[in-house]
Amino acid sequence: QITLKESGPTVVAPTQSLTLTCSFSGFSLRTTGVGVAWIRQPPGKALEWLGLIYWTDIKHYSPSLRTRLTLTKDTSKNQVVLRMTNMDPLDTATYFCVHSLGFWSGSFYFDNCGQGTLVTVSS
Amino acid sequence: QSVLTQPPSVSAAPGQTATISCFGNRFNIGETYVSWYQQVPGEAPRLLIYDNYRRPSGTPDRFSASKSGTTATLDIAGLQTDDEGDYYCGAWDNSLSAGVFGGGTKLTVL
């Protein structure tokens, strides 16, 4: 059974950085074809894809966030860390980490999702 | 502004079929596989369809999907009130080297 859980601050001040940790179980980032992605959802709005890290440590980022976003993995701890710099109130959203598949078909989808964590950017 | 385009809302009566479209371009839907997700308010999104039409275990066969060119379609037959929620399409975009989602469609079962 795959589970993922996001943790981190609930409030971040504008211009500060956000660090979220995704702790997962039921799969390993040593397994070929596996990735962990982050998506977010501002209140009342649509899903937004943020980034993806594969078992190979290859990373992909949303073009609009590429200069602000960094994903890292700790395979031994079964964790993926998201760091986003220069936070803005428009970054207020629920952040989800997901178990990503589709590598072998050149696609993207996720079959398991964390419960999400609401991050509010406010002073 | 989402890369994939969906109608904001769709409604249909119980027992009827609802159809949700997802419009992309040749770099995303045209070249890669489409997935569909259901999201009930206050909950995380749930995978309904992957690889254009495949259903994971747990997705009822009332849910079906297809793709033609740069358009994907999700059909929900025998609508139930429990089907109400937001539906999102997703894909990989080869020109962006990133995942993309649609803006979501709110399904109302009248």
Side-chain angles (χ1 to χ4, degrees):
Chain A
Q1 180 192 2
I2 290 175
T3 64
L4 306 101
K5 186 172 184 179
E6 307 84 356
S7 60
T10 57
V11 179
V12 176
T15 77
Q16 297 302 299
S17 295
L18 168 69
T19 300
L20 293 176
T21 299
C22 175
S23 302
F24 56 85
S25 63
F27 70 95
S28 171
L29 266 176
R30 292 189 178 94
T31 303
T32 57
V34 171
V36 170
W38 288 88
I39 63 177
R40 70 180 179 182
Q41 186 171 38
K45 296 191 176 182
L47 300 176
E48 179 185 7
W49 191 92
L50 302 181
L52 164 64
I53 184 167
Y54 283 121
W55 84 102
T56 54
D57 207 35
I58 290 176
K59 302 155 193 177
H60 295 279
Y61 297 110
S62 167
S64 64
L65 294 170
R66 192 160 286 146
T67 61
R68 300 172 53 210
L69 186 62
T70 303
L71 300 184
T72 57
K73 63 181 176 68
D74 187 328
T75 306
S76 63
K77 291 184 179 179
N78 281 349
Q79 290 181 335
V80 170
V81 174
L82 173 152
R83 178 177 166 83
M84 188 179 296
T85 61
N86 194 23
M87 293 291 284
D88 182 273
L90 290 175
D91 296 313
T92 294
T94 297
Y95 288 74
F96 299 95
C97 64
V98 302
H99 175 244
S100 174
L101 297 170
F103 175 81
W104 298 114
S105 57
S107 65
F108 164 79
Y109 68 95
F110 63 90
D111 64 347
N112 284 273
C113 184
Q115 63 190 24
T117 184
L118 175 61
V119 178
T120 301
V121 183
S122 173
S123 54
Chain B
Q1 191 81 351
S2 300
V3 174
L4 306 180
T5 300
Q6 298 180 235
S9 63
V10 164
S11 61
Q16 298 300 302
T17 297
T19 297
I20 299 173
S21 299
C22 174
F23 303 97
N25 61 39
R26 66 185 180 95
F27 297 113
N28 42 62
I29 294 179
E31 290 183 343
T32 71
Y33 292 94
V34 179
S35 52
W36 289 91
Y37 305 87
Q38 177 192 54
Q39 187 178 33
V40 175
E43 296 186 8
R46 177 175 79 97
L47 177 67
L48 282 177
I49 298 284
Y50 68 100
D51 287 357
N52 297 336
Y53 64 88
R54 299 185 189 280
R55 286 186 299 270
S57 60
T59 297
D61 58 9
R62 301 187 297 107
F63 294 83
S64 62
S66 60
K67 187 185 89 168
S68 178
T70 59
T71 301
T73 302
L74 174 71
D75 289 309
I76 310 169
L79 278 172
Q80 303 172 1
T81 54
D82 285 352
D83 296 331
E84 286 197 334
D86 296 317
Y87 290 79
Y88 294 90
C89 56
W92 185 258
D93 190 298
N94 282 328
S95 69
L96 300 175
S97 291
V100 290
F101 288 111
T105 298
K106 182 178 181 60
L107 172 65
T108 301
V109 180
L110 301 168

